[in-house]
Amino acid sequence: MCGIVGYIGSRPALPILMGGLHRLEYRGYDSAGVAFFQEGRIDVVKRKGRLSNLEGALRGQFGDDLSSGGIRLGIAHTRWATHGAPSDENSHPHLSASGRIAVVHNGIIENYLEIKRSLTTLGYRFVSETDTEVVAHLIEHHFTTDACRDLLSAVLRTLGEIEGSYALGVLCADDPDSFIAARKDSPLVVGLGDHGNFIASDIPAILEHTREVLILEDKEVAVLRADGVRVMDTLGRPVDRRPMHVDWDIESAEKGGYEHFMMKEIHEEPRAVRDTVAPRIHGGGIRLDDISLTAEDVARIQRIQIIACGTANHAGHVARHAIESLCRIPVDVDVASEFRYRDPIVDGRTLAIVISQSGETLDTMAAMREAKRRGARTFAIVNVVGSSIAREADDVLYTMAGPEIAVASTKAYNTQLAAVYLLTFRLAVLLGRMTEAECAIWTGKLLALPESLERILSDREVLQRFAYEHFNARSVFFIGRGLDFALSMEGSLKLKEISYIHSEAYAGGELKHGTIALIEEGTLVVCPLTQTSLLDKMIGNIREVKARGAVVLGIACDSAPKVDDVCDTVFRIPDVDPLLAPLLAVTPMQLFAYYVAVNKGCDVDKPRNLAKSVTVE
Ligand code: F6R
């Protein structure tokens, strides 16, 4: 999500670090900072906003030539806020209490509140709202009070105590000849150069200096010196890692070696879903620390109004099923631009749930204000921390998708669903409709989803082949029942927006009321078949379209019976509770749309007529 660069060597460090941050700029960020070693101490310069703000601050200190300071060691960071709004204080690097240890971090420390509490009772003071700051203090605590012999022992001990995901760079004023890097569930590479060594969260950040990289694996630690690198596990045992030669150009390196950002982002879904759910699940229960909704507030809610646009609106349709079935509260879903003008029935007993990736969509924002004006309490599910919708909503539950660059939304949708499920289970517990034990069963199922997504991604060739055979289709229908219909809307939108093929989503049972007239020899029909209780009915609908010549792609769970007999091709997904199935079954639809668009030669990442953030009405 955020970006990291680090350097130690014989060349001036600041130009290398700033060059690396510029290379990470395409990902979007809200603040940036550097920590560097100079005259026996660590200096930190960090600024909210664009990189030019940081550059300006550095030039104020060093003049126009950033190589003038004689600095040979430093770590740098661009931040995409997760804990705490974008601000100078929340920017990285973070310093320990004495200012002698600096840390940059990507990922999420899940137990940071517990650590923060215990360090606070020991007298540590925190200056930011971030989860990262606890790492700096904890390393210092071990370094100074727990008789850890050196920085490395203090870092290893800290890694044994933090939970969650991390790519870390650690600098210590007492050890100016080295710095330390570590990773778990967040990418980090070590670059081996002729004049020094590097760390980077993304290869483009260091590609102009070296093409020899060590890809750190989970729970590995590297100690970097100007003349060499040692890699070990988190117990300090040496690990033998061979460098890999990278021959990508900068552009493909930015895309992580994928041809398009969209494909890169689809591959980030397992990580994004894990980051959205895992930090909020503790002992089977759900903890939404920043949410102020109490059991009394929830008991007052008489109806829920979901407001969103496009993909986020489709996530809203899944939310309606989930909330109605588990909480038994009536839910309406509106597209934001319609909601505003239809004189909606909303009052003080309405909870308005607003869903938005960017947090800046004007229609959604205006609709949220309208709901608020009519007395509703507002609850936003948003990806961009500190965005307008996040700031104005009464409560915010952030999705942890990270920056989404491709115009077509992919990982944002999966994480919106993950957030929706967390909220639904929490509401159900607060309403007394779900016991803590039942909640633990649901959260266990949620935690299993990232692994299932991994399998779907590794089986993608089936979809690639099917797309190759059918990319010339003139019109594609997506049909489903129940949650599969909600999901079909998203599958259809994905296909039309990037491949420009006409497509419609229909409820399976509704076809015969008119639309079936459009089905003819060779018409392509995509059918999600994840709703076990509706499977026989859907098989009936598939027979109806097959009888008129349709070609059918089914998306079904491993153990779904009979579907091979009626579909032309079946893409199997791991068995999953039907309520959670859209989060998995959307991914084959995204992949299918992607492969069709690539075969047609479309500009996948920047489809015609579309913009990533729609800030006009
Ligand atoms: C589709 C897509 C759009 C957005 C919609 C809402 O792939 O990206 O339909 O989902 O414009 O945007 P956000 O979620 O930023 O409010």
Side-chain angles (χ1 to χ4, degrees), residues 139-214:
I139 293 173
E140 177 161 291
H141 180 69
H142 291 319
F143 192 41
T144 54
T145 60
D146 288 337
C148 285
R149 286 175 320 286
D150 49 28
L151 177 69
L152 178 61
S153 322
V155 170
L156 294 180
R157 186 150 173 186
T158 300
L159 297 181
E161 292 170 18
I162 58 178
E163 289 165 17
S165 56
Y166 54 78
L168 284 169
V170 183
L171 205 63
C172 176
D174 299 307
D175 189 358
D177 298 322
S178 71
F179 74 101
I180 295 176
R183 96 154 250 188
K184 179 175 167 270
D185 292 330
S186 190
L188 195 65
V189 300
V190 172
L192 308 173
D194 295 333
H195 54 79
N197 296 305
F198 309 79
I199 57 167
S201 54
D202 302 74
I203 291 174
I206 54 171
L207 209 50
E208 66 181 288
H209 303 291
T210 180
R211 291 186 167 271
E212 302 305 310
V213 300
L214 299 170

Side-chain angles (χ1 to χ4, degrees), residues 358-360 365 368-369 382 384-393:
S358 62
E360 301 294 349
M365 177 79 182
M368 180 175 87
R369 285 183 181 151
V382 173
V384 180
V385 174
S387 54
S388 307
I389 291 174
R391 287 199 310 272
E392 284 196 25

Side-chain angles (χ1 to χ4, degrees), residues 507-518:
E510 184 66 10
L511 272 184
K512 58 184 170 296
H513 297 288
T515 312
I516 201 159
L518 295 172

